[in-house]
Amino acid sequence: MKNRYVPIPPLFFFFFFFFFFFFITLHYASCQLPPSQLTTMTNLRELLQTKWNSSSQDLPNPCSWTGVLCNQNNSVITGLSLSSFSLFTIQDASSWSSLVCGIETLETLDVSNNQLAVIAPPLLLSSCGGGGLKVLNFSFNMLSGNIPSFQSSLEGLDLSHNSLHGVIPDQITELVNLSVLDLSYNQLNGPIPSGIDQLSKLQQLLLSENNLSGSIPSGIGQLLNLWQLILSVNNLTGEIPPSIAQITTLKRFSANYNGFTGSIPLGITRYLSNLDLSYNKLTGSVPSDLLSQPNLQTVDLSFNNLKGTLPVNVSKSLFRLRLGSNRLTGVIPLWSFGNDDPSLAYLEVGNNSLTGMIPPELRLCKNLSLLDLSHNNLTGYVPRELGDLNKLQVVQLDHNSLSGEIPDEISELQILNKLNMSWNSLNGSIPPSLSKLQKLMNLDLQANYLTGQIPDSFGNMNSLLELQLGKNRLSGVIRSLPPNLQISLNLSRNNFEGPIPASLSRSQSLEILDLSNNRFNGSIPNFLTQMGSLTQILLSNNLLTGSVPRFSGKVNVSTEGNINLSYPPPTSPSVDRKNNNAASVGIVVASAVAVVTFIILVVAAVIVSRKFHRVNDDETPHSPQLEVIKSKLLTLNVIHRTNIDFTKAMECVGQLSSLVLKTKFSTYYKAAMPSGMSYFVKKVDPSAKIFQLGRHDLIEQELETLGRLRNSNVMIPLAYALTVDSAYLLYEFTDKGTLFDVLHGSLKKCLDWTNRYSIALGVANGLAFLHGCPSGPILLLDLSSKGVMLKSLDEPQIGDIELSKVIDPSKSTGNLSDVAGSVGYVPPEYAYTMRVTMPGNVYSFGVILLELLTGKTAVSEGSELAKWASAKSKEKHNVDQILDSTIRWTSRVVKDQMLAVLKVALACVNVSPEARPDMRNVIRMLLNTRN
Ligand SMILES: *[C@@H]1O[C@H](CO)[C@@H](O)[C@H](O)[C@H]1NC(C)=O
Ligand SMILES: *[C@@H]1O[C@H](CO)[C@@H](O)[C@H](O)[C@H]1NC(C)=O
Ligand SMILES: *[C@@H]1O[C@H](CO)[C@@H](O)[C@H](O)[C@H]1NC(C)=O
Ligand SMILES: *[C@@H]1O[C@H](CO)[C@@H](O)[C@H](O)[C@H]1NC(C)=O
Ligand SMILES: *[C@@H]1O[C@H](CO)[C@@H](O)[C@H](O)[C@H]1NC(C)=O
Ligand SMILES: *[C@@H]1O[C@H](CO)[C@@H](O)[C@H](O)[C@H]1NC(C)=O
């Protein structure tokens, strides 16, 4: 080993020390460390070639180096944090460990977040750190094999997030000073050592996400200092020992996702704040005092086999209660809370067998924001008093036997986001006042006995993305529909009549349209063929007449059961895109002619249909709505400033031939400028944050802010144009399309691992930038491979950032109405936290990483990629089969790097948001895989 260190005689140091310490000021003395420690640190710096500062070369004072902890008067080193120092095993592990262990006063050593594959022997000797080593942190490394034996001075041992195998050795139970033991996120099997009760100082025992089996040792109740016991996601069985209830210090107990049986011990929550026993096989009833304990904050017992009734006494401090998917019976009790408002915000008791009425007394739960009573046997009316719960965001009452009318008072729920009352026996008409629910995104009233018409006022429900009214007794001519429907409009199985409503054409992003089994008459309007997002159109069993217009091949159209409909002759085969192997030039020319003719016809049809139906279509060029009120250049780049021509840009908007891409929330057009340069013109979706600002001046402010951002991996608007009701943003043109298109399309084979790795780093870089914005983190609402544009095969750009929301996470504002992610990318906790978070974005990023690694889509064959990969990665021998076979076998080096990146991805898609790394760490971890 090359050692460029020139030893300095200790005597020199002595004099040096003496001089400064006694004759100048105490303050001036920048180094008082014993010479041996100074030497060690200098050597360590050489050896690790670290990021440690060498600026103060004359008087290196290691106590001021990053990660070096000294005692109060800086006379000895007490701790070293080499976290994220890119340490890997090839750097002579024994050398650095020996050096570190030579620091006799060392108490803590943190080497988390590196790529260490072994714990070098010196660190295990009882002489390490002069025998006084107290904390050893090897979390987030690449340790494999069995857990070694440690010195008994340890008070904290963190080996979490590695690949340790085998059983937890009994030697662990000899570390009697331990107060923190974290072995979570490994592949340990076997039982929890029965001698664990010997660790009488233990405060935190974290063993989640392993494959531990057997039962919880009953001696656990003797750990009288324990405050955190986390056993989630293992294969533990047996009963939960009643002795746990005796630990007066225990605050948090999680044993979800195991195979525990038996009943819930009495008194288990006496001292707890948080209890999670969901996803087990627990039986028996919920103990009557379980929910009444004064310190209790969250209880999750969902997905068990619990019977009996809901406890009558509920603590005022209880914030989240989840008892769904059990076999609970009886009525919802009249909870009484005295004078104070209860904290209860999340009440989930769906999927049980509860009976009786919904008690009007629920109105006392003033903080309730989610109420899930679905899939029970509730009867009676929907109480008017629900209208008092003005923090409600989600109400799920579906699949019960509720009757009577929908109370008008529901319309008072100002921030209600989702209302599901489907599959009940509600009658009466739909209250017109429901249109006051201006935040409502999903309304599901299907399968009831509702009568009357769709209220005209529904035309003002601007946030509504989904409207389900099927299987009712609704009737009449439809005059108005919500303008921005996207997910689905289902009016099937009613008695609607009259023409297919023209106002439908406003919902240009609608995906599913079901009008079947009604009495709609007239012809099928041509504008339906222009709604580019539609995937299903169900028109069967109506009284429609005329001829069926020609729909694009990707739409599923059903029209049977309309006896007077006529069908145009079958499409000429030359127009069929699939038939492109045409051998003769003649056919090619004929096709071209046919295509051109077809386009002309379509355009003509559009114009004609617009004339006849007078649809309110804001995409017709030169319509008054497209009149630009204001346009402005944001970029300072002279090339763009001279190239961008707003008139030209706006001409392309709404032209089929310029449409290049339609994502879930935006439409991109390609605009060629007089100079020959091209730009993207993006029509911003009305659900974007900037529109929620309402006023034009605020929208402009927001766009200016976005335009000032600078990052090569984020699509930054170069200019904008505002019309009365829309905003158009101009971007640099990129012709590779979205990451989704490339990765899952024909270009897939061109994406080798090097490209994919650059894409991963690029997206990470963009996201870290957005999260780190000085003006406050920018959180993305819908991060997916469809929202990432490729400038080239290795330069990604995150798009649609105006859909984001600037949220101060410390105030944890933001709410469910901002959550609009795509299936497969939405982290599991959004279901109950109902807010967009940074860890939530990290999850979505993890899914994109998995797409790059596996070549699979975020949801395939009905299962989510994140869940599939997490499960698959636990099968020790098959881990590399997760990887995309088209790139898997290139070389050993590549495969190792892919496996290391897979670890990063799995950390990002962790079920628990707290366990996910932040984006800065993700970048570090990704860089660490490259060596
Ligand atoms: C190096 O020292 C300077 C001045 O003390 C400090 O600002 C900088 O953050 C240090 N760099 C590192 C990597 O610690
Ligand atoms: C170990 O390091 C990780 C990551 O740096 C940190 O989150 C964790 O709290 C540390 N563990 C202990 C016991 O200090
Ligand atoms: C869980 O443990 C049971 C026996 O207790 C065993 O049959 C099963 O295979 C284990 N499951 C896993 C995933 O290891
Ligand atoms: C709940 O209703 C379902 C369907 O109506 C019925 O099969 C079930 O027996 C009922 N359960 C109870 C506990 O009433
Ligand atoms: C709705 O049903 C209830 C009984 O379930 C009945 O008393 C009421 O008259 C019905 N209302 C209408 C408008 O049909
Ligand atoms: C309402 O609940 C049913 C059953 O849980 C579900 O299938 C449906 O998608 C829900 N509707 C909406 C709009 O979420």
Side-chain angles (χ1 to χ4, degrees), residues 329 353-355 376-377 401:
T329 51
S353 298
L354 300 174
T355 50
N376 277 292
N377 287 27
S401 304

Side-chain angles (χ1 to χ4, degrees), residues 40 70 122 290 370 393 506 545 648 676 720-721 735 872:
T40 300
C70 293
L290 190 99
L370 181 148
Q393 293 186 42
R506 292 194 292 170
T545 53
K648 270 271 176 248
Y720 67 84
D735 60 0
K872 201 86 183 155

Side-chain angles (χ1 to χ4, degrees), residues 83 110 112 137 139-140 158 180:
S83 181
D110 178 357
S112 61
N137 193 342
S139 63
F140 293 97
D158 190 345
V180 180

Side-chain angles (χ1 to χ4, degrees), residues 531-552:
M531 293 171 62
S533 299
L534 278 175
T535 58
Q536 275 188 56
I537 306 181
L538 308 175
L539 303 173
S540 42
N541 301 320
N542 278 292
L543 304 171
L544 297 167
T545 53
S547 91
V548 178
R550 205 160 265 155
F551 286 94
S552 103

Side-chain angles (χ1 to χ4, degrees), residues 211 213 235 237:
N211 199 14
S213 53
N235 193 10
T237 50

